[in-house]
Amino acid sequence: MDEVGQSRPAGTLINTPDITPDELQLAVRNHSMPLEALRYDITPVGLHYLLIHFDIPVVDASSYELSVGGHVRRQLRLSIDELMARPSTTLAVTLECAGNGRARLHPRPMSQPWLCEAVGTAEWTGTPLAPILEEAGVLDGAVDVVFTGLDRGVQGGVDQHYERSLSLEDAVRAEVLLAYAINGRPLPPQHGFPMRLIVPGWYGMAHVKWLRAITVIDQPFAGYQQARAYHHRMSDGDSGAPVATILPRALMVPPGVPDFMSRTRFVEPSTQVIEGRAWSGRGTIVSVDLSADGGASWMPTTLHDPRSPYAWCGWTCEWDATRPGEYELCVRAGDAAGNVQPLDQSWNVEGVENNAVQRVRVVVGSLADRQVPADSR
Ligand SMILES: Nc1nc2c(c(=O)[nH]1)N[C@H]1C(S)=C(S)[C@@H](COP(=O)(O)O)O[C@H]1N2
Ligand SMILES: [Mo]
């Protein structure tokens, strides 16, 4: 066991199943989306997951300015009013943290300990980035576009503002937005007020919040969150593959009623309609299958149209839960690019891109004479 208060650097691997005080501190700052909120097509703002590396900056909108510069003909400084006066787009986008699923890995990478619900779908309103870069006049030889947040902290021993980049090619995609509203309201502080980047289809780390500068550079960006963090690595020495677009995942609304501590579900013998959402940043969702026996056999579910090509789709499936007993429900999504969720946890050093299937324990029986399973923690 860890001594209480002893700090372990991010990147350390932990062999104990017990959560450490440092992880708990992150877990109470950054919350995931309660699974029952999968019922909403558009996640109510307070139920959308949150991930904030450092502190939430307080920003005065009246003095806020976004600078656009670097390897461009003309540097721009844009106030919030100027950004809002530009053409606007509203797009439903599913955001998911690249570390979603991390806490199921063993040994466990020391970072935000997500289970499987670090996700949410919002309607983001903003102005497309490409015309702004065009106005600034990107010069020949431009390679990357760097997005710098107002928030600052130390990670991996490096003092930094939160910064990520996109290749110029990805940055000028039509769906990339500078967003100032979520679900029709100004961004709240925790989601990046007054302005954030939205990169539909990409894991959360690309969507830089509290955006203060956009800088075009003529070489690959070497910042911490780009070159060191967010890589799929099998060992510390491995250079790894950078994390980019979202792998497919389906989640279900756990049926019945929960046991307070274990979240084991109790369902009265009946036919249940199981519902949930599925998404991928790599292609349209083409299949979602449900299993009631831990993944031994599967049945197809019915898919419903998503709000946008970048938003999750709904799915529903009837489950014959008439026979009392214990079940393990699993759900597995596949996308048009041929990616299918693995049944087992996919371990890597940082615990990113672990899209193993969700498993939900269900006890079918009369609630009146139920027995709380002994192993209920
Ligand atoms: N400036 C800044 N932007 C950031 C972060 C951050 O810590 N600082 N976290 C990133 C990560 S890792 C994720 S998963 C998403 C989470 O966005 P949300 O909190 O709005 O859901 O924001 C991204 N943008
Ligand atoms: Mo994240």
Side-chain angles (χ1 to χ4, degrees):
M1 254 306 274
D2 228 6
E3 259 177 63
V4 172
Q6 184 184 323
S7 178
R8 287 181 188 260
T12 319
L13 299 173
I14 301 286
N15 263 309
T16 155
D18 297 325
I19 195 162
T20 65
D22 284 354
E23 289 171 292
L24 183 57
Q25 191 160 246
L26 286 176
V28 296
R29 285 184 55 81
N30 300 305
H31 67 77
S32 53
M33 186 191 75
L35 289 170
E36 60 273 30
L38 288 163
R39 292 200 176 92
Y40 304 97
D41 198 8
I42 297 298
T43 312
V45 174
L47 296 177
H48 193 285
Y49 88 98
L50 277 181
L51 194 292
I52 296 141
H53 283 69
F54 307 128
D55 291 348
I56 300 172
V58 175
V59 184
D60 173 11
S62 63
S63 58
Y64 170 84
E65 260 188 352
L66 173 68
S67 87
V68 183
H71 201 64
V72 295
R73 254 192 302 283
R74 194 163 354 110
Q75 165 143 4
L76 308 177
R77 303 197 74 88
L78 298 161
S79 70
I80 192 75
D81 287 345
E82 287 166 324
L83 284 158
M84 289 176 69
R86 300 180 66 91
S88 83
T89 305
T90 296
L91 191 59
V93 177
T94 297
L95 243 69
E96 180 182 16
C97 182
N100 200 14
R102 174 182 293 132
R104 301 258 183 229
L105 300 175
H106 187 81
R108 194 171 68 250
M110 187 65 178
S111 188
Q112 169 71 26
W114 298 124
L115 293 171
C116 65
E117 52 267 67
V119 66
T121 296
E123 283 195 308
W124 300 95
T125 300
T127 192
L129 173 62
I132 292 176
L133 290 175
E134 201 175 304
E135 247 174 73
V138 173
L139 295 172
D140 284 351
V143 174
D144 280 348
V145 183
V146 182
F147 302 89
T148 307
L150 285 157
D151 50 332
R152 177 181 171 190
V154 179
Q155 197 181 341
V158 180
D159 176 15
Q160 58 190 282
H161 281 267
Y162 186 88
E163 279 183 313
R164 286 275 311 180
S165 66
L166 292 173
S167 69
L168 180 61
E169 192 189 350
D170 286 329
V172 298
R173 288 180 61 92
E175 68 274 15
V176 175
L177 300 179
L178 300 181
Y180 44 79
I182 177 171
N183 298 357
R185 303 262 185 107
L187 298 182
Q190 66 273 25
H191 285 296
F193 180 84
M195 178 70 61
R196 79 176 301 171
L197 186 65
I198 290 292
V199 192
W202 285 58
Y203 279 114
M205 75 282 148
H207 306 237
V208 178
K209 303 193 266 192
W210 313 292
L211 192 59
R212 73 149 198 218
I214 298 174
T215 313
V216 180
I217 59 175
D218 60 3
Q219 53 200 302
F221 180 54
Y224 181 87
Q225 305 292 345
Q226 193 72 28
R228 278 181 56 193
Y230 297 108
H231 279 67
H232 190 289
R233 295 190 167 95
M234 296 313 290
S235 70
D236 280 337
D238 176 6
S239 54
V243 173
T245 51
I246 303 176
L247 286 163
R249 188 191 295 272
L251 291 176
M252 75 183 93
V253 178
V257 295
D259 172 56
F260 171 60
M261 281 306 293
S262 65
R263 310 304 295 179
T264 294
R265 315 297 300 191
F266 298 106
V267 170
E268 295 279 352
S270 56
T271 298
Q272 292 282 311
V273 177
I274 309 295
E275 63 172 316
R277 308 276 168 189
W279 62 94
S280 167
R282 303 190 178 191
T284 310
I285 291 293
V286 292
S287 68
V288 175
D289 297 319
L290 184 74
S291 170
D293 53 15
S297 64
W298 297 89
M299 51 196 156
T301 73
T302 304
L303 303 184
H304 306 284
D305 285 340
R307 285 259 189 144
S308 90
Y310 304 103
W312 57 25
C313 68
W315 56 266
T316 47
C317 186
E318 272 194 8
W319 173 41
D320 174 12
T322 50
R323 286 180 309 282
E326 282 194 31
Y327 298 85
E328 189 181 61
L329 294 183
C330 304
V331 65
R332 182 176 68 182
D335 68 19
N339 303 294
V340 178
Q341 285 185 258
L343 295 186
D344 297 322
Q345 310 301 324
S346 39
W347 190 90
N348 59 88
V349 173
E350 282 180 52
V352 289
E353 299 179 322
N354 175 21
N355 64 333
V357 298
Q358 176 196 19
R359 294 173 185 274
V360 177
R361 190 166 178 208
V362 184
V363 178
V364 174
S366 162
L367 264 167
D369 47 56
R370 76 195 178 280
Q371 297 213 318
V372 177
D375 173 30
S376 73
R377 42 167 307 221

